[in-house]
Amino acid sequence: MTIQEAQEKIIEEFSLLDGDMEMSNVYLMELGQKLPDYPEDKRDEEHIVKGCQSKVWLNAKLDDGKVVYEADSNTAITKGLVSLLIRVFSDQTPEDILNADLYFAEKIGMNRFIGTQRSNGFGAMIKQMKLDAMVLQKVSN
């Protein structure tokens, strides 16, 4: 699935919620619960995403030329947010991640139901994921 296809799928899923803010938050939390367990040895300062009010741990590795992300958070909604980004970015090439135009957040009206603080944190997660992709791109060349 391409980055664009993953975003379209997320938009489709959220459209079923008809803009209901409470249901959107519940759905986000459910998505976060589906993330695989995060490795304990990566739950350290080196893997914390700076700029998030909640704690978010993020790890990226290269597998057969594609970036694979794993993440966790200490709050359910933030864990759901990072799970959306993992769906979009994981298993993509570093180049595709760096060139990605992320539009799903705006299309689903995410700012309405997550608030300013989480929006800022979401931006910090995107920035960190792109930085990790850039580092992995240099390593693979």
Side-chain angles (χ1 to χ4, degrees), residues 49-53 81 116-126:
V49 176
K50 311 289 186 266
C52 290
Q53 190 172 3
L81 292 172
T116 307
Q117 289 288 357
R118 283 200 182 97
S119 270
N120 292 339
F122 188 71
M125 289 182 249
I126 293 168

Side-chain angles (χ1 to χ4, degrees), residues 19 23 36 45-46 59 61 64 71 84 87 104 115 122 124 126:
M23 287 303 298
E45 281 302 310
E46 180 183 336
N59 184 52
K61 58 190 174 201
D64 200 24
L84 289 175
R87 280 178 63 188
F104 77 88
F122 188 71
I126 293 168

Side-chain angles (χ1 to χ4, degrees), residues 29-48:
M29 289 187 272
E30 287 174 2
L31 291 174
Q33 290 170 349
K34 294 177 183 176
L35 274 180
D37 289 339
Y38 187 78
E40 281 303 316
D41 64 327
K42 306 277 187 220
R43 202 177 294 272
D44 55 20
E45 281 302 310
E46 180 183 336
H47 292 90
I48 287 227

Side-chain angles (χ1 to χ4, degrees), residues 17-25 112-113:
L17 302 173
D18 251 356
D20 183 315
M21 294 193 323
E22 187 177 335
M23 287 303 298
S24 296
N25 280 327
R112 285 181 312 122
F113 60 88

Side-chain angles (χ1 to χ4, degrees), residues 4-117:
Q4 184 170 345
E5 290 168 341
Q7 291 187 92
E8 291 299 328
K9 181 120 177 76
I10 291 167
I11 291 165
E12 182 183 322
E13 291 167 9
F14 275 85
S15 75
L16 299 174
L17 302 173
D18 251 356
D20 183 315
M21 294 193 323
E22 187 177 335
M23 287 303 298
S24 296
N25 280 327
V26 168
Y27 184 58
L28 260 181
M29 289 187 272
E30 287 174 2
L31 291 174
Q33 290 170 349
K34 294 177 183 176
L35 274 180
D37 289 339
Y38 187 78
E40 281 303 316
D41 64 327
K42 306 277 187 220
R43 202 177 294 272
D44 55 20
E45 281 302 310
E46 180 183 336
H47 292 90
I48 287 227
V49 176
K50 311 289 186 266
C52 290
Q53 190 172 3
S54 305
K55 284 194 187 277
V56 178
W57 296 274
L58 179 68
N59 184 52
K61 58 190 174 201
L62 209 55
D63 184 15
D64 200 24
K66 301 207 172 169
V67 181
V68 177
Y69 292 99
E70 48 193 0
D72 197 8
S73 176
N74 65 340
T75 64
I77 290 178
T78 305
K79 191 170 179 175
L81 292 172
V82 78
S83 78
L84 289 175
L85 291 172
I86 285 175
R87 280 178 63 188
V88 171
F89 284 147
S90 221
D91 296 319
Q92 304 294 333
T93 65
E95 183 178 33
D96 287 345
I97 293 166
L98 292 171
N99 294 325
D101 173 28
L102 285 186
Y103 56 86
F104 77 88
E106 185 179 329
K107 292 267 190 190
I108 66 174
M110 198 167 71
N111 290 345
R112 285 181 312 122
F113 60 88
I114 67 168
T116 307
Q117 289 288 357

